[in-house]
């Protein structure tokens, strides 16, 4: 499935010579668009100033959570002569083949949000998932007073988010050696799958579970639904996720969980800036994120890695974050 965001050169804010140029064709390859986070990421791409002005013709691809589907989409972009690709891979290893195919065809690939095991990327624009995994697990363990037992709901096995957030989880757990891990299993970033897992774990372990480490918000929210369905009190559990999706922000506001905001909008906008730079060497970035995050300087688009900072969601900032979703 693909959606053309902008195919018309409107020429808004562009010089006459630039407006006469053919638009730059960029493909945004998302690993899957069922959940809100990737929807926010892709929607941000459509709002990039270069897309809205017609300088860039952006096509968004839904990888349907399948590395082979993503590789097929790369082959389509190569055949259709795309100028650059922004890639959020489903699998850290399998995605390397797709990158190789594009680079062999002379198409620069910018990684975004999720990592791929390839040194052929022009650059990576994402966030440090090890740090996120540490922060969310520490939030759970602090609430537990470093005592009791937890369950871990993991992302898709083999995706960089699962690997690196898991590494961060382990780092925090190592600081609480008395905490026992009762269960850990993938929920595939899915609220429904996580709810089913948690229902089974509550049946098996009941009140022994004191903490839930969800490697994303959707899965933490699924655990909350399972707890409610079992007639238990959510307040008796320490629960955290990652991403800052809208339902999680509301759950933080209600005191049901902790979350760490991942700025997918900044990742998408920044990766498009870097992709355009790879095609037009004289390009200056058009998105505002470089001013928003001064600790992540543009450096003329030459860096190999740009890490968008995490923002812990708190009672003090949750309303402002919710206002951005209106």
């Amino acid at each position: 499935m693909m959606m053309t965001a902008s195919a018309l050169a409107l020429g808004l804010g562009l010089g006459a010579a630039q407006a006469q140029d053919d638009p730059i064709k960029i493909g945004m390859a998302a690993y899957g668009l069922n959940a809100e986070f990737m929807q926010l990421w892709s929607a941000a791409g459509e709002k990039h100033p270069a897309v809205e002005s017609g300088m860039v013709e952006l096509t968004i691809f839904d990888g349907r959570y399948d590395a082979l589907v993503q590789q097929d989409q790369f082959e389509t972009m190569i055949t259709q002569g795309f100028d650059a690709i922004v890639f959020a891979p489903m699998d850290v290893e399998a995605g390397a083949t797709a990158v190789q195919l594009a680079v062999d065809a002379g198409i620069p690939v910018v990684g975004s949000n999720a990592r791929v095991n390839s040194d052929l990327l022009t650059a990576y624009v994402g966030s440090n998932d090890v740090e996120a995994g540490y922060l969310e697990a520490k939030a759970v363990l602090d609430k537990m007073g470093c005592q009791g037992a937890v369950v871990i709901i993991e992302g898709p096995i083999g995706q960089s988010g699962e690997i690196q957030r898991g590494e961060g989880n382990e780092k925090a757990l190592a600081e609480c050696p008395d905490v026992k891990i009762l269960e850990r299993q993938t929920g595939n970033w899915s609220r429904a799958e996580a709810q089913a897992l948690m229902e089974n774990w509550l049946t098996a372990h009941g009140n022994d579970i004191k903490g839930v480490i969800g490697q994303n918000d959707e899965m933490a929210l699924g655990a909350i639904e399972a707890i409610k369905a079992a007639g238990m009190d959510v307040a008796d559990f320490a629960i955290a996720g990652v991403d800052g999706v809208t339902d999680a922000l509301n759950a933080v506001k209600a005191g049901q969980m902790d979350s760490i905001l991942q700025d997918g909008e900044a990742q998408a906008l920044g990766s498009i800036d870097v992709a355009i730079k790879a095609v037009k060497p004289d390009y200056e970035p058009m998105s505002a994120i470089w001013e928003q995050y001064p600790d992540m300087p543009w450096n003329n688009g030459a860096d190999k890695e740009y890490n968008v900072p995490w923002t812990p969601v708190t009672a003090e900032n949750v309303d402002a974050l919710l206002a951005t979703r209106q």
Side-chain angles (χ1 to χ4, degrees):
M1 173 178 143
M2 60 184 183
M3 297 167 283
T4 299
S6 173
L8 299 176
L10 301 178
L12 299 176
L14 297 174
Q18 190 175 28
Q20 291 170 1
D21 292 340
D22 289 336
I24 298 168
K25 293 177 65 175
I26 295 178
M28 283 187 85
Y31 57 75
L33 292 173
N34 284 349
E36 183 186 351
F37 181 80
M38 270 284 109
Q39 294 169 7
L40 292 171
W41 180 83
S42 58
E46 295 174 348
K47 295 177 182 175
H48 190 285
V51 177
E52 292 190 326
S53 73
M55 178 181 177
V56 165
E57 177 184 315
L58 186 71
T59 304
I60 296 168
F61 292 82
D62 179 357
R64 305 200 293 274
Y65 305 89
D66 188 327
L68 291 177
V69 169
Q70 287 199 291
Q71 185 166 322
D72 288 345
Q73 292 169 343
F74 266 63
E75 290 171 353
T76 296
M77 286 186 273
I78 292 167
T79 300
Q80 296 182 356
F82 275 65
D83 298 301
I85 297 172
V86 172
F87 187 27
M90 180 62 199
D91 188 287
V92 69
E93 296 295 341
T97 301
V99 174
Q100 181 78 58
L101 291 171
V103 172
D104 286 349
I107 302 173
V109 181
V110 178
S112 183
N113 178 254
R115 294 182 182 266
V116 60
N117 189 12
S118 172
D119 58 5
L120 298 177
L121 294 176
T122 298
Y124 176 75
V125 185
S127 299
N128 184 336
D129 274 316
V130 177
E131 181 183 0
Y134 176 79
L135 290 172
E136 63 149 352
K138 184 167 174 48
V140 169
L141 297 169
D142 284 351
K143 280 193 175 179
M144 295 168 55
C146 249
Q147 299 291 324
V150 300
V151 295
I152 302 175
I153 311 177
E154 302 170 303
I157 303 303
Q159 197 186 34
S160 65
E162 175 266 326
I163 296 168
Q164 295 189 329
R165 290 178 192 177
E167 184 180 336
N169 294 163
E170 293 297 338
K171 180 182 175 184
L173 285 160
E175 296 173 359
C176 295
D178 293 335
V179 171
K180 181 181 180 182
I181 302 172
L182 288 175
E183 301 277 1
R184 62 189 312 160
Q185 192 169 328
T186 182
N188 290 311
W189 298 148
S190 163
R191 192 179 307 194
E193 287 191 40
Q195 181 172 346
L197 279 180
M198 191 67 188
E199 286 170 352
N200 291 336
W201 293 344
L202 288 171
T203 299
H205 304 289
N207 293 326
D208 290 341
I209 301 173
K210 301 303 179 187
V212 180
I213 301 172
Q215 290 183 349
N216 81 346
D217 282 342
E218 294 289 346
M219 300 189 298
L221 290 162
I224 289 173
E225 291 304 314
I227 292 166
K228 290 178 178 176
M232 305 175 82
D233 189 345
V234 177
D236 291 337
F237 296 79
I239 304 169
V242 175
D243 286 340
V245 301
T246 306
D247 284 349
L249 296 180
N250 283 313
V252 171
K253 189 171 181 177
Q256 297 177 334
M257 64 178 282
D258 286 273
S259 180
I260 316 295
L261 177 76
Q262 176 172 212
D263 193 340
E265 178 175 340
Q267 294 175 0
L269 295 172
S271 59
I272 290 174
D273 274 332
V274 175
I276 299 171
K277 179 72 174 179
V279 178
K280 289 174 64 72
D282 61 345
Y283 174 75
E284 293 296 330
M286 299 173 72
S287 67
I289 68 157
W290 309 103
E291 289 77 29
Q292 180 183 354
Y293 293 111
D295 292 338
M296 186 181 68
W298 166 246
N299 287 340
N300 202 32
D303 287 359
K304 291 294 287 184
E305 181 161 330
Y306 295 92
N307 276 308
V308 180
W310 298 97
T311 302
V313 182
T314 67
E316 289 72 32
N317 65 14
V318 68
D319 284 333
L321 293 172
L322 280 168
T324 67
R325 305 292 166 78
Q326 300 301 315

